Amino acid sequence: MSKKIKAGIVGATGYTGVELLRLLAAHPDVEVAAVTSRSEAGIAVADYFPSLRGAYGLAFQTPEQAGLEQCDIVFFATPNGIAMKDAPRLIEQGVRVIDLSADFRIRDIPTWEHWYGMTHAAPGLVSQAVYGLSELNREAVAQARLVTNPGCYPTCVSLPLVPLLRQCRLKAGMPLIADCKSGVSGAGRKGNVGSLLCEAGDNFKAYGIAGHRHLPEIRQTIAGLQDGIAEGFVFTPHLAPMIRGMHATVYLHLSDGSDPETVLRDYYRDSPFVDILPAGSIPETRSVRGSNICRISIQQAAQSDVWVVLSVIDNLVKGAAGQAVQNMNIMFGLEETHGLGGIPLLP
């Protein structure tokens, strides 16, 4: 395109923010014009993130100084509760918004307020937000003024289920179990004892068994695609001793004897970032590190009618910043792969 997209990033000091900056620096059609942080205003982006030296000459500004209303698109990489206050003004001024927080993900306002512990500041905007699971809502994303980026766990769990749910292939009344593992970067960059090397390294534990905020988000997607399945959904996250990466093992029952791998392969035939592996393959988190790819395999458990789905993503890329860039590409009529063609890192 002849004119570059002018982008702003609100709250760019966390892991999701720096990942957005890294990806957009290599995007041929984007100019990052504003990067905001109240706490770091005046500090050069390249000084705060040495990995970005030579890529950016910008300094952090307060949102009031940044001129965000002059951007074509603004990404919110902020804690929950910020975008719902600041995004409405930008949308009214014609700016497109992609929110990487959870402010607009859950359509039922009382449910959102229960799980996030605050009163929603823009309930009227929730119904206008398009849920940005790119491979599910591509056409709606293309027309959206506001895209709510999915969470990392919902992305990793939902992508292998969407084709099966759309064809009503899951057996109603049976449990649907997602046993998931995330790298420590999923907890964010803020100070947290549980994220310290001596706490998270050489250790493995479950958490959120009594309830995780991504549970209602995943259930919402399931319920919108096939009746009678969401009620039996069980979600257990775990913290794994790695920096980035996410692995979902999903156990399900099919309603008929059709081949589920064929269903997945047909649905994702034209999706550049979903890789359906050959039968018997085992996807690894390191095979997607630093990339926007989701790799999926499905096979039947030995001597059982249970099917096992394995799904891996990089929680900071396909689970956050990469999917946000993918949604931006769709919103502006670009190729989905623009700026996202990096090969996974190994080792």
Side-chain angles (χ1 to χ4, degrees), residues 1-345:
M1 56 189 302
S2 57
K3 179 185 175 184
K4 287 197 172 187
I5 297 165
K6 197 173 183 180
I9 304 174
V10 179
T13 57
Y15 292 134
T16 299
V18 69
E19 198 70 1
L20 262 176
L21 286 164
R22 179 180 74 88
L23 294 171
L24 292 176
H27 198 295
D29 300 308
V30 175
E31 172 197 354
V32 177
V35 185
T36 80
S37 169
R38 294 188 185 279
S39 62
E40 310 302 332
I43 296 176
V45 170
D47 288 341
Y48 194 80
F49 291 121
S51 62
L52 298 176
R53 284 182 60 84
Y56 287 98
L58 293 170
F60 291 107
Q61 299 174 288
T62 67
E64 293 78 14
Q65 298 170 330
L68 295 170
E69 69 280 356
Q70 299 173 25
C71 293
D72 299 305
I73 189 163
V74 170
F75 298 88
F76 280 84
T78 49
N80 300 319
I82 304 297
M84 65 180 180
K85 297 175 183 176
D86 295 345
R89 176 182 61 85
L90 292 171
I91 294 170
E92 288 174 2
Q93 294 174 313
V95 180
R96 292 187 175 187
V97 169
I98 296 180
D99 178 26
L100 283 82
S101 79
D103 285 8
F104 299 100
R105 291 177 189 163
I106 297 175
R107 295 192 172 276
D108 184 74
I109 302 300
T111 298
W112 187 91
E113 293 179 341
H114 168 75
W115 284 95
Y116 289 90
M118 63 184 90
T119 301
H120 205 290
L125 202 55
V126 173
S127 61
Q128 301 176 37
V130 173
Y131 189 65
L133 191 62
S134 309
E135 289 78 11
L136 173 62
N137 292 324
R138 190 176 279 110
E139 293 183 3
V141 168
Q143 304 300 319
R145 304 300 306 179
L146 169 61
V147 168
T148 175
N149 223 54
C152 48
Y153 281 123
T155 297
C156 196
V157 172
S158 299
L159 282 174
L161 292 178
V162 163
L164 299 170
L165 291 166
R166 285 179 67 104
Q167 293 192 15
C168 297
R169 295 297 180 91
L170 271 61
K171 185 180 292 186
M174 300 298 290
L176 173 64
I177 300 171
D179 188 335
C180 302
K181 292 84 180 174
S182 175
V184 183
S185 61
R189 200 165 185 250
K190 61 185 180 298
N192 187 328
V193 171
S195 301
L196 296 174
L197 176 62
C198 290
E199 300 291 328
D202 195 26
N203 190 33
F204 184 78
K205 65 178 182 180
Y207 66 99
I209 297 173
H212 188 282
R213 289 173 172 179
H214 286 171
L215 174 63
E217 183 180 341
I218 303 172
R219 278 186 170 161
Q220 176 178 263
T221 298
I222 294 170
L225 294 172
Q226 183 178 348
D227 293 335
I229 303 298
E231 297 79 4
F233 178 67
V234 178
F235 168 55
T236 304
H238 299 73
L239 186 66
M242 57 186 181
I243 294 174
R244 59 164 80 205
M246 180 164 284
H247 188 296
T249 303
V250 183
Y251 303 93
L252 55 85
H253 294 79
L254 296 176
S255 59
D256 57 39
S258 60
D259 178 18
E261 183 186 323
T262 299
V263 175
L264 268 66
R265 198 172 297 282
D266 287 347
Y267 183 85
Y268 287 120
R269 178 175 288 113
D270 298 320
S271 295
F273 297 116
V274 180
D275 179 21
I276 307 303
L277 301 181
S281 299
I282 306 294
E284 303 177 66
T285 57
R286 70 175 184 167
S287 75
V288 296
R289 185 183 296 133
S291 79
N292 197 52
I293 298 170
C294 176
R295 300 198 198 276
I296 299 169
S297 74
I298 184 167
Q299 53 195 295
Q300 194 165 9
Q303 300 180 337
S304 172
D305 62 351
V306 175
W307 285 83
V308 181
V309 180
L310 305 174
S311 173
V312 297
I313 62 172
D314 184 317
N315 57 294
L316 295 177
V317 189
K318 186 58 174 168
Q323 186 153 234
V325 173
Q326 184 180 355
N327 281 321
M328 179 200 68
N329 287 340
I330 296 170
M331 293 169 79
F332 286 87
L334 305 175
E335 291 292 330
E336 283 185 49
T337 54
H338 275 205
L340 295 170
I343 296 172
L345 305 173

